[in-house]
């Protein structure tokens, strides 16, 4: 038994979202341990009992029911919405489920990869640095960005963003659905 990921990441929301974004956009079938989507924490004990807690809700005497959207607040609501947005997109995305993965050698602590299938292209940008950076030299990715000027930001509430310069907080991952519009 191992500690829960949110505990290992020091309950840092940016790092947690990055971990989830990488898990849900790379090759393979993602697996989330129950409660990860609401930020359950815990570690320790002879057999990892600190991480083994009941999911809040659905059991007699539970003070909250995290199965119900209206009862999720704070961290639980934010993480659940984030996971739901990425997982829902992934479910209908050929690029993320069967698409080709092309990775680039990290430059200045920034790791970029693309997932492509047919006309769908998803760009994933991870800032491995503790400090914020701006990805403004897109020349290494020219082949994948031809014809694209903007993207839909899956990790930031589906907002449209320009590809000219992408600011990233320390340890942040951004998932961009490239758009020719």
């Amino acid at each position: 038994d191992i500690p829960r990921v949110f505990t290992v990441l020091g309950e840092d929301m940016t790092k947690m979202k990055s971990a989830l974004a990488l898990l849900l956009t790379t090759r393979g079938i993602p697996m989330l341990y129950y409660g990860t989507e609401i930020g359950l924490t815990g570690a320790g004990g002879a057999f990892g009992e600190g991480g083994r807690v009941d999911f809040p809700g659905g059991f007699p005497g539970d003070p909250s029911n995290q199965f119900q959207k209206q009862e999720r607040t704070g961290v639980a609501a934010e993480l659940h919405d984030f996971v739901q947005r990425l997982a829902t997109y992934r479910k209908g995305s050929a690029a993320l489920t069967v698409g080709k993965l092309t990775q680039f050698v990290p430059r200045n602590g920034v790791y970029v990869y693309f997932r492509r299938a047919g006309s769908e292209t998803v760009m994933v940008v991870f800032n491995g640095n503790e400090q914020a950076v701006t990805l403004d030299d897109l020349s290494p990715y020219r082949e994948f960005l031809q014809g694209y000027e903007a993207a839909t930001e899956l990790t930031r509430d589906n907002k449209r963003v320009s590809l000219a310069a992408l600011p990233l907080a320390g340890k942040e991952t951004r998932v961009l659905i490239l758009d020719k519009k």
Side-chain angles (χ1 to χ4, degrees):
D1 286 323
I2 59 174
R4 288 184 170 274
V5 67
F6 200 39
T7 299
V8 171
L9 297 174
E11 298 183 35
D12 182 307
M13 187 65 82
T14 300
K15 289 179 182 178
M16 183 66 169
K17 285 181 176 181
S18 283
L20 292 166
L22 292 168
L23 176 69
L24 290 165
T25 60
T26 195
R27 291 180 49 207
I29 299 170
M31 195 286 291
L32 292 171
Y33 189 53
Y34 80 94
T36 299
E37 73 279 13
I38 61 166
L40 286 185
T41 58
F47 298 99
E49 292 91 353
R52 286 192 213 163
V53 295
D54 290 337
F55 191 92
F59 301 99
D62 280 351
S64 72
N65 184 352
Q66 296 299 298
F67 290 106
Q68 302 297 319
K69 181 176 180 144
Q70 65 272 17
E71 294 204 31
R72 287 190 296 266
T73 61
V75 167
E78 187 176 345
L79 274 179
H80 187 278
D81 291 348
F82 184 82
V83 169
Q84 185 174 42
R85 186 169 55 250
L86 285 171
T88 299
Y89 182 79
R90 179 186 173 86
K91 184 170 67 172
S93 168
L96 295 181
T97 55
V98 297
K100 182 179 177 181
L101 169 68
T102 304
Q103 306 175 70
F104 289 83
V105 174
R107 298 177 64 226
N108 301 317
V110 177
Y111 171 49
V112 176
Y113 61 90
F114 291 84
R115 299 291 310 271
R116 292 170 75 172
S119 62
E120 181 187 16
T121 302
V122 176
M123 178 182 188
V124 180
V125 183
F126 169 68
N127 178 12
N129 301 294
E130 290 292 336
Q131 69 278 8
V133 298
T134 298
L135 180 64
D136 50 9
D137 178 10
L138 299 175
S139 60
Y141 323 112
R142 186 174 27 253
E143 174 186 345
F144 288 87
L145 295 175
Q146 284 182 346
Y148 296 108
E149 295 176 7
T152 300
E153 172 81 49
L154 193 56
T155 44
R156 290 188 181 177
D157 298 325
N158 296 325
K159 294 186 172 144
R160 275 183 59 73
V161 295
S162 169
L163 294 173
L166 296 168
L168 295 119
K171 300 296 183 181
E172 181 183 22
T173 299
R174 295 181 69 181
V175 179
L176 306 159
I177 306 160
L178 300 186
D179 195 353
K180 291 190 180 193
K181 296 177 187 173

